[in-house]
Each structure stands twice: as structure tokens, then as C-alpha cells.
Amino acid sequence: MKIVQHKRPSSLPAIVLCSFLGATTMVDAMADTNSRMIITKPSATASSGHQHHGGHQQRGQQEAQPRARRRGAGNQLMLKNGEGAVVKFWAPDLSTKEVTLEGSRFTTPKPAVDNYHALVAERQIDDLKQAAIRYAYMRGRPSKESPSKLAAAQKTALEIEPAPIPREHHRYMANKVWEFIVRFNGKPLSGTHVALETSHGSRVDAISNDAGLVRFTIPDDFSEVKPGRRKNPAAEFSLFTEYRTASTHYETTLSAAYYVDPDHWRSKGLGVAVAGLGLIAGGFIGGIGRSNKRGKKQ
Amino acid sequence: MNLSVIRKLVQIAAFGFMVYGSGLIGYYTVDKFSNALPALSCAFNHNTGDYCTLIPFQHQMAHRVGETIANNGDLLQGLMPTLITLGTFLILFVFLSKAFCGWICPLGTFQELLSMLGQKLGLQQRESVDEKIVKRTRPVKWLVLFFLVFFFPILTGLGYASHDLVDPYCKICPSRILTTLTNGNTDQLVVDQANPVTMGFSIFGDFLFGLMIALALTVRQPFCRICPMLAMNATFRKIGLLKLVKNASSRCEKCGLCAKACPMDIREIHTEMVKKDVTFEDCTLCGRCVEFCPDENVLQLKYATIPVFKASPQYFKKRKKAQKEWEKTTLASLKQPAVQPEAKN
């Protein structure tokens, strides 16, 4: 398995490295990354807390609403650099609905069922076909569908599939390893260069292996980390890759929110030490019990 | 093969499924499997096959019930998710009753394995805990259930408590640490220094985990005695189809082997002479008391009205012999030199 991952301080070394590694396709590192089509939250950073159901959010105006009233509401999202694109809303059963863009913003339709839905934006400019995907958890009656079905479905020609999408009680987090599969027309694409960029300005590059798999550690790039998960708003990351055929140039992005690594305010060493104290205390209590019993017997 | 061996095999299979099951049933399927298991299988474990009912209860108390009351919302709508979770829990519970504790719970299995290890290490497994200690300990599980699963989460939803008290029981549950550690994940064995509340709970949780491990080497099922799931299951024990039934005989008064065999030290199984249903609040339906009852049909495990396992003198003799054989082999006994056979003349 050939997976390469490295920090990329500037674009030129990446070009050299990718050429050296013999990648069959390569992100045009000199391209203006600001022109990529990305589905993102309306603000620069996502709201804090869980990105999906059962979430904890900072107590504020939104939290003051009864949760039951928020159930079934659509999500507010934004399509960056997506003029002229068509946005489709994919339900867990793979049915689709077109979403109306209001400028660069749009509201997802009210979901009929719960679980992950996909937002897929596509547009074509001459020989360039661009796509952007984002998965969003929505509440409703039970969908009875696995998110793996939605993730695995071919929604556009060139696609980055999360493998898997974090399920309930889990979320994308900095400093942790996450896997994705690059597919072209539904088939894994090997040797493809994928770039991960964050809203905090970090960039990591990787090349897909024979199974189309790329593995990233999301950079721990939150500048001001405060102790406590809810005190640190989520940031956004996007994955970008491109692929050229004889007649067409394909580009695709996958975006999601990610959260600060809680190890900033958690100590594993202290945890082990405290558990050790518990062990000693337990051994002591057990020992007293044994000696009392011996005493009674005598 | 005796009932204890069969139970161990079921426990180990259940442990594998609950701790590593998502590899078998699919990463997402667990979210839809039940989410209301009457056993401590933890949602913090990425690979769990299903997870316990206490986590949705805590979240629903905070986010649905508490918040609905705080906002003068429709209480029935706020209670609906809790009712759905409770309904799912009850469907499962009716099917297997308190046997979820004695046959399925990964934390119960872990403690039993430690107990076996303690016995083999010669750490002198205490047959029974002092009666006074047992009686004093019994109310703790109800307090843990009331305060940590319902009260503090509702207070949080109402806005009177820190948001870190949304899932206070999970913060101290040893199953959270155990099931993540068994998957090579050390993220839960930590001291969380975000604020005094998280720090206090994480220190208590870590300490409890260590304490439970050490105690389990010498005392049978130490954490089960204060487990809120035991209290939860005790609340609904009358509707479970599996029951422990006693047809007391005059010999019961002098015997008491059932109470000695009980890993939860329920002496009432021995002393109760009137009631037929002896599925007491601490009973985990492990069936050891039935195994060690020497009198025909005095103790029985019944599924609805059908006896599935009955006490019998023949079984008792075999079981007692097997137990003696099991207890004879310890690490200390292996170290002793074998007795030399006498030389033939």
C-alpha cells in the first residue's frame, strides 16, 4: 500500500515530491485554491458542538429553542465559487431533489427521514467538470438505510468518498487519522493526488493507493485552544482532487466540519495514574477483607 | 458441560459482539440496531455492536425533557423519544429479562474473568461479602440511577447545571474505559482538565475503573452491585419472561448453598420460604443458585411457565465435583512439586 502524507509549506515542493512519487494525476498546485467549488457553512467556521443529531451546542439563541421544534428543519449552507452550478439533495434511499440557490446560499429541503443526506453541486465550464459534495445529518423518522449506501453511490463522476462518515457520537477531529476513497465513475482511482485544506490555512497532501484509499491526519491547527470542547468552534476542511481524460478535466471537493483535539486539555498520563491509585485502593480493601476472614476462621 | 460453562461461552460471544460487533454487522448498523440495550455496552466504543439504554436516556432527559420544560414546550413531544427508547428497552427486556446482566453485559463478563484470574492466582476469592456491607451497598445503584441518569441531565436541560452534566453516568462508567481500551483506544482513560466538573468526574471514573479491577480479583461482581443498569432492570423485573422460581422445602432452612453460590450475595434466595418468584432486585439470572441446589426442583429457571433449568441431586453432585476440580488448580498448586510415586518393592 503506497500512501504518502506530508505537510506542504508551499506548492512547489509538492509538485517535485509528487513527480518523484510517480503520481499518475496531480493536483495543480499552482492553481488558485480560492476558485474551488466547495459547499460550506455560511460562516467561515462552523458552529460548535456536534455536527449532527444529539448534538451539544453552546447555550445561546439556538439552544434556547426547544429541540423538538428544530427537528426536521433544513440546513443553511453556502456554495463557494459555484455560479451556475446545479445542487442536488440526496436522501439516504438515493432519491434526489434539486435545491434552489439564493445567490451563493441555499437551504436544504425538509428531510423526510433521518440519517445522513448528501448535497452535491455540479457544473461544467467548457471542458472543466466541477463537483462539490457535503454530507449532512438530518433528523426525521427512521430512514432504515445505512449511510454506507449513500456514501458508496455514484453521485458525480469524480468523487471523494468518506470511509466511513463518522457515525453518531463521533466526529471529524484534529490529530486523528481519517480515510477516504477516490473514485472515478464509481471505480477506485489509484495514484491520485488529494489535497486536504483547512479553514485555518493548513494543507496536507496524500496519494491514493491501489484501492483508491487516502489517509489523512487532520492538522491540529486551532490557534487559540480553550479548555473544553464547546468552547472551541468547529473549523472546516475540504479535500480536493482532479482527474483528466482525453476530453475532460474533472475537479471535485468534499467538505466537512472538524473539531479541536480534546487531548489539549486531557491527560492520559494522569488518567493512568488515577486508575493505578484505584488499583492500589482496591488491592488494599480486598486485602483487609481477606485478613478479616482469616481472623474469623481462626 | 454444565450451565456455568454454557454461560461463559455465551458471555464471551456476547462480549465479542458488543465490543467488536460493528465489524460484523456494519459500521452504521449499530446506530439502528436497538440503542437501548439492557447491558453496559458503550457508545463511546467505535466498534460496539449495540449500545446501552442509559446513554440515550441521559441525553433525552437533558435535550428533550429538560429543554421542553424550560421552554414551556409540548411535554408529550419532549417525552416521546424517551418513550420510544423505553419501549425498545422493554421489548428486549421482556425477551431475556435480567439475564442481560448475567449473560450479556461486557462489564459483567470482564469482572467474572477477573474473578477467575483472582482464583487462579490464589488471591483467595471471598465466597461472600459481609451481610451488612451487602445491605448498605444495595441502595447505591438506585441513587446512581436517579441522580446520574435522570436528575442531573434534567437539571442541565433546565439550565440549572453545567452542560458537562448531560451524561454524568457515562463519565464514570467503567464500561466506557474498558470497551475502548479493548479496542486499543486510550481516549477515555484520561483526566479531563477542561473545568472542575469534568476533572472531578474523570478522576472518579478512572479511580473507579482501577478499583473495580482490583476488587474483582477478590470480590465477585464488585461494580454490578452499584450498577444503575441493575436498578433499571430491577424496576421491570416482573415483566421479564425469564424468572428464578423457588419451591421451598423443609431442607432449605439448613442448607443455604444457593446463597453461597450467588455472586451477588443474595441471602434472601436461601431465607425466602413463601414467595415463588425469587428474582430479587440484585439477581442477574446467572443460574448458579440452581446449579448448587441439591434438592429436586426446589430452584428453577423458568421461561414464562416453562422450566428451562431445574435443580437436581444428580446435577448437583457433578457440578460440585467439577467446581472442586476447578478450584484445586491454582498458580500456587502448579508450583508445588508433584508427589513422587512410591517405589515398587
Side-chain angles (χ1 to χ4, degrees):
Chain A
M1 194 165 70
K2 190 170 107 179
I3 296 171
V4 178
Q5 186 178 308
H6 60 280
K7 279 266 188 186
R8 195 161 110 166
S10 67
S11 53
L12 191 59
I15 298 170
V16 175
L17 182 61
C18 290
S19 306
F20 176 73
L21 292 166
T24 53
T25 61
M26 186 177 69
V27 173
D28 180 1
M30 302 306 284
D32 181 6
T33 55
N34 291 327
S35 68
R36 288 174 193 160
M37 187 165 71
I38 298 170
I39 301 171
T40 182
K41 293 256 181 180
S43 56
T45 55
S47 64
S48 64
H50 286 269
Q51 71 190 73
H52 47 263
H53 71 306
H56 310 165
Q57 287 166 316
Q58 279 181 318
R59 296 193 76 79
Q61 273 192 322
Q62 196 180 6
E63 187 70 4
Q65 286 181 26
R67 190 157 288 256
R69 231 181 283 161
R70 298 206 303 273
R71 187 184 176 96
N75 285 4
Q76 289 274 342
L77 291 167
M78 193 172 95
L79 181 65
K80 271 172 70 179
N81 308 314
E83 279 175 30
V86 174
V87 181
K88 282 185 181 167
F89 178 69
W90 285 65
D93 64 356
L94 308 187
S95 61
T96 59
K97 268 184 198 171
E98 197 166 318
V99 177
T100 311
L101 275 168
E102 294 158 2
S104 62
R105 294 183 177 221
F106 61 94
T107 306
T108 59
K110 189 178 171 183
V113 292
D114 74 356
N115 225 321
Y116 278 101
H117 292 62
L119 280 308
V120 183
E122 289 179 297
R123 72 172 175 181
Q124 182 161 9
I125 305 166
D126 301 326
D127 67 339
L128 174 67
K129 280 191 174 178
Q130 289 182 307
I133 299 181
R134 187 182 183 96
Y135 293 89
Y137 195 95
M138 296 189 177
R139 302 184 64 80
R141 61 184 166 76
S143 66
K144 297 173 187 170
E145 300 283 0
S146 166
S148 51
K149 181 178 166 185
L150 179 69
Q154 188 188 330
K155 298 174 281 296
T156 184
L158 181 64
E159 193 171 339
I160 302 170
E161 175 195 338
I165 312 170
R167 72 176 196 217
E168 191 184 14
H169 296 109
H170 304 286
R171 65 200 78 103
Y172 287 115
M173 218 176 267
N175 261 343
K176 305 278 184 235
V177 179
W178 305 95
E179 292 181 345
F180 305 87
I181 296 168
V182 185
R183 296 193 321 244
F184 182 67
N185 288 335
K187 290 179 182 166
L189 206 55
S190 63
T192 306
H193 185 204
V194 183
L196 181 150
E197 292 180 346
T198 72
S199 55
H200 290 149
S202 302
R203 177 174 170 142
V204 185
D205 297 276
I207 293 169
S208 63
N209 68 5
D210 292 344
L213 190 85
V214 278
R215 191 175 289 141
F216 287 101
T217 301
I218 299 179
D220 184 21
D221 58 1
F222 289 77
S223 55
E224 285 181 31
V225 176
K226 294 173 187 166
R229 194 185 62 208
R230 285 179 303 280
K231 289 180 181 165
N232 297 282
E236 289 272 311
F237 74 83
S238 66
L239 294 168
F240 173 79
T241 193
E242 61 185 343
Y243 184 69
R244 289 173 197 273
T245 61
S247 58
T248 312
H249 176 199
Y250 294 90
E251 286 184 356
T252 193
T253 61
L254 170 75
S255 55
Y258 73 101
Y259 297 81
V260 70
D261 178 6
D263 283 351
H264 282 287
W265 58 86
R266 297 192 314 191
S267 166
K268 287 179 182 169
L270 278 178
V272 172
V274 173
L277 286 177
L279 272 171
I280 294 166
F284 183 67
I285 295 167
I288 289 174
R290 284 200 302 278
S291 27
N292 283 350
K293 203 169 178 184
R294 277 194 208 109
K296 278 180 188 173
K297 276 182 182 173
Q298 283 164 5
Chain B
M1 189 181 284
N2 59 49
L3 186 73
S4 286
V5 174
I6 295 169
R7 192 168 67 89
K8 283 286 172 297
L9 294 175
V10 173
Q11 282 181 299
I12 288 164
F15 187 94
F17 180 73
M18 295 304 166
V19 177
Y20 306 103
S22 74
L24 193 69
I25 61 169
Y27 181 70
Y28 304 107
T29 322
V30 60
D31 291 349
K32 305 294 159 205
F33 193 67
S34 87
N35 297 358
L37 195 77
L40 296 183
S41 182
C42 188
F44 284 81
N45 167 19
H46 293 228
N47 294 321
T48 185
D50 193 9
Y51 54 79
C52 97
T53 196
L54 300 180
I55 189 161
F57 273 144
Q58 290 169 88
H59 280 263
Q60 287 156 2
M61 288 303 113
H63 296 308
R64 298 299 175 85
V65 180
E67 284 180 13
T68 303
I69 296 168
N71 294 289
N72 294 318
D74 182 348
L75 191 59
L76 184 63
Q77 203 179 355
L79 276 170
M80 194 53 75
T82 307
L83 294 175
I84 292 169
T85 303
L86 184 63
T88 314
F89 166 84
L90 290 178
I91 290 169
L92 293 169
F93 187 77
V94 166
F95 176 63
L96 268 187
S97 189
K98 299 187 83 190
F100 274 103
C101 291
W103 293 67
I104 305 292
C105 180
L107 194 66
T109 304
F110 178 65
Q111 290 173 87
E112 282 197 38
L113 295 175
L114 283 174
S115 173
M116 289 163 69
L117 179 69
Q119 196 272 329
K120 291 296 160 207
L121 290 174
L123 291 174
Q124 204 175 345
Q125 181 71 16
R126 295 163 71 189
E127 282 185 3
S128 56
V129 177
D130 186 80
E131 194 172 356
K132 279 182 191 168
I133 297 173
V134 172
K135 284 193 173 168
R136 277 181 202 155
T137 311
R138 278 181 185 165
V140 176
K141 62 181 177 293
W142 295 102
L143 295 174
V144 175
L145 179 69
F146 177 75
F147 283 105
L148 296 190
V149 178
F150 294 104
F151 185 70
F152 284 123
I154 287 182
L155 276 190
T156 301
L158 291 171
Y160 293 123
S162 156
H163 198 277
D164 293 302
L165 290 173
V166 163
D167 54 356
Y169 174 66
C170 293
K171 286 187 164 59
I172 63 156
C173 181
S175 186
R176 180 178 55 93
I177 300 174
L178 170 72
T179 56
T180 49
L181 279 181
T182 46
N183 274 281
N185 178 356
T186 55
D187 285 350
Q188 303 303 323
L189 186 60
V190 291
V191 171
D192 187 331
Q193 298 162 81
N195 59 56
V197 174
T198 58
M199 188 185 264
F201 272 88
S202 58
I203 287 176
F204 187 76
D206 296 339
F207 186 83
L208 189 64
F209 181 67
L211 188 74
M212 180 200 74
I213 290 175
L215 281 179
L217 292 167
T218 54
V219 180
R220 292 178 293 180
Q221 310 302 104
F223 183 78
C224 297
R225 296 162 195 261
I226 59 163
C227 177
M229 189 63 86
L230 185 71
M232 188 81 193
N233 290 351
T235 309
F236 299 102
R237 67 185 188 275
K238 296 287 177 196
I239 64 165
L241 289 174
L242 189 62
K243 284 182 173 25
L244 178 65
V245 174
K246 182 176 179 182
N247 301 301
S249 81
S250 55
R251 283 159 52 88
C252 287
E253 284 177 24
K254 292 176 186 171
C255 177
L257 286 176
C258 54
K260 281 183 186 164
C262 177
M264 300 293 284
D265 297 303
I266 308 170
R267 291 174 173 84
E268 291 87 337
I269 303 171
H270 166 217
T271 55
E272 180 59 59
M273 302 300 283
V274 181
K275 275 186 195 169
K276 291 262 180 194
D277 182 357
V278 287
T279 318
F280 291 105
E281 66 175 48
D282 279 6
C283 179
T284 61
L285 289 175
C286 67
R288 268 179 70 87
C289 54
V290 187
E291 285 189 285
F292 285 91
C293 175
D295 286 345
E296 190 79 36
N297 295 344
V298 166
L299 281 171
Q300 300 179 6
L301 282 176
K302 274 191 173 179
Y303 199 81
T305 55
I306 306 158
V308 287
F309 184 63
K310 297 189 283 189
S312 82
Q314 296 80 14
Y315 181 93
F316 169 73
K317 278 177 195 164
K318 282 183 193 167
R319 183 66 184 87
K320 199 178 165 189
K321 193 179 167 190
Q323 187 68 22
K324 273 189 178 172
E325 286 296 317
W326 166 256
E327 285 176 1
K328 209 162 61 181
T329 317
T330 63
L331 201 65
S333 69
L334 290 175
K335 279 181 184 172
Q336 286 169 2
V339 178
Q340 294 294 319
E342 283 180 28
K344 284 181 184 176
N345 291 328

